[in-house]
Amino acid sequence: MGMTSTTPPTAPAVVREQPGGESMRAIILNGFGGLDRLVYTEIPKPLPRDGEVVIEVKGFGVNHAELHMRRGEWAEAAEVSGIECVGIVDSCPGGEFPVGAKVAALMGGLGRTINGSYAQYTRVRAANVALIESELPWSQLAALPETYAVAWTCLFRNLNLKAGQTLLLRGATSSFGQAALKMAVAAGAHVIATARSTKRVSALEDLGASRVEVERRDLATHIAESKQIDAVLDLVGNSTILDSLDLLRRGGTACLAGWLGGLDPIGDFNPLLRMASGVNLNFFGSFVFGTPGFPLSDVPLQDIARQVAEGKLDAKPSHVFSFDQIHEAHRIMEAGEAGGKMVVVID
């Protein structure tokens, strides 16, 4: 999850290696704007550094964060976009990961302050890398890092969700929402999902939702479970989070982790007047991965991949693109036609 900025940068930050090394194919941001700003070119391959991992990229997810970067709507954007990837360790001077190991990488400045994953190789801090040894195809592994790492953290760390509990999932039709829904159901939770319209009800029920409600800002006054909900994962954002607090039982928790409803701040929020005693509110954003207390290795990505391989969790991407199809991937994302997690696989 990321915040947009009203003062976008004037140009993508160029992060280049010393000349004379190997080159690689990459997709760079040639300024900000439309699809034509994503340009294929050759740039130097990143050089290994102590405490960092150079990864041969085999696949990466396509995220709205990269759309905002392309448009110049984030305060930071590197020349090479891409906030996540899966691939093979090419070099690791500090020995944190063996050369040849399958790994996932996420954030840690990827695509923002350092060159990201829209390339044949990327370099990222070891704290933002996790093992993901699996026989799953790269297309399926590429669907896991950002979406499933965030969903797992929100559900099982921030919300401490347990089997048998009732979760209200607001904004369930997004790729993140779908992942959270599937993970919560697999963990034995009872999930009530929300969607903006009735068109997606059957799709969410197929994913395991026990019921689907049409999203509204005063949902707490319209569902029978009000004041009895154990946990709320709110991906709609500031416009609904206070209503989410009204749904909770004493001791229940709401986690704010998305802004599908926009970034406008909550006006005049006074907890004394707007929060019931004994309910909990917290927040999670994927930009914290790799910071003290949030190493990516804490997320059981390898176990999540095992659940996918065993058929206990469906993480199939909605679209799989080749490296040469980044314009089409961004077009579909911009048009709101993704219908789930989109990935790019590099042959």
Side-chain angles (χ1 to χ4, degrees), residues 48-54 89-99 126:
R49 292 179 182 172
D50 196 46
E52 298 182 339
V53 185
V54 176
V89 174
D90 181 71
S91 59
C92 183
E96 294 90 349
F97 298 91
V99 171

Side-chain angles (χ1 to χ4, degrees), residues 30-44:
N30 183 24
F32 298 117
L35 301 177
D36 61 333
R37 293 300 185 178
L38 292 166
V39 176
Y40 291 87
T41 189
E42 294 273 331
I43 63 173

Side-chain angles (χ1 to χ4, degrees), residues 115-292:
N115 279 343
S117 57
Y118 284 21
Q120 289 179 300
Y121 295 87
T122 192
R123 182 182 61 216
V124 63
R125 292 186 306 127
N128 290 88
V129 180
L131 287 170
I132 194 166
E133 292 288 353
S134 170
E135 296 307 311
L136 287 172
W138 291 115
S139 59
Q140 289 209 346
L141 290 177
L144 299 182
E146 160 75 3
T147 304
Y148 281 84
V150 176
W152 182 89
T153 303
C154 290
L155 291 174
F156 304 115
R157 285 289 171 86
N158 283 37
L159 291 173
N160 196 27
L161 189 68
K162 306 292 186 185
Q165 289 188 326
T166 297
L167 169 74
L168 177 68
L169 178 53
R170 305 188 81 154
T173 56
S174 66
S175 59
F176 175 20
Q178 291 179 44
L181 172 55
K182 289 183 280 191
M183 293 189 84
V185 170
H190 172 82
V191 183
I192 302 169
T194 76
R196 283 179 294 180
S197 74
T198 57
K199 295 178 181 178
R200 300 295 298 277
V201 169
S202 60
L204 293 175
E205 289 176 342
D206 289 344
L207 294 180
S210 60
R211 193 170 84 251
V212 181
E213 296 279 348
V214 174
E215 183 57 69
R216 54 192 301 164
R217 293 193 179 193
D218 58 348
L219 191 63
T221 62
H222 287 85
I223 68 171
E225 296 88 349
S226 190
K227 302 295 185 185
Q228 301 171 43
I229 300 290
D230 297 297
V232 181
L233 179 53
D234 195 325
L235 310 183
V236 178
N238 296 345
S239 62
T240 56
I241 189 61
L242 298 185
D243 183 63
S244 293
L245 293 175
D246 290 338
L247 286 151
L248 294 168
R249 63 164 173 80
R250 179 180 177 182
T253 302
C255 177
L256 176 61
W259 289 267
L260 296 172
L263 290 167
D264 290 341
I266 303 169
D268 302 320
F269 173 40
N270 183 342
L272 179 65
L273 301 177
R274 284 299 288 113
M275 283 184 73
S277 293
V279 301
N280 305 291
L281 169 63
N282 62 48
F283 155 77
F284 187 77
S286 58
F287 52 82
V288 304
F289 282 128
T291 63

Side-chain angles (χ1 to χ4, degrees), residues 59-63 66 82-85 117-118 142-143 145 341-344:
F60 56 82
V62 180
N63 300 280
E66 293 132 24
I83 66 171
E84 63 172 323
C85 71
S117 57
Y118 284 21
K341 184 70 174 183
M342 302 196 302
V343 304
V344 169

Side-chain angles (χ1 to χ4, degrees), residues 62 318-326 328-330 332 342-346:
V62 180
S318 63
H319 295 75
V320 180
F321 300 95
S322 70
F323 193 63
D324 294 316
Q325 295 177 304
I326 196 67
E328 178 64 4
H330 269 243
I332 290 174
M342 302 196 302
V343 304
V344 169
V345 173
I346 303 180

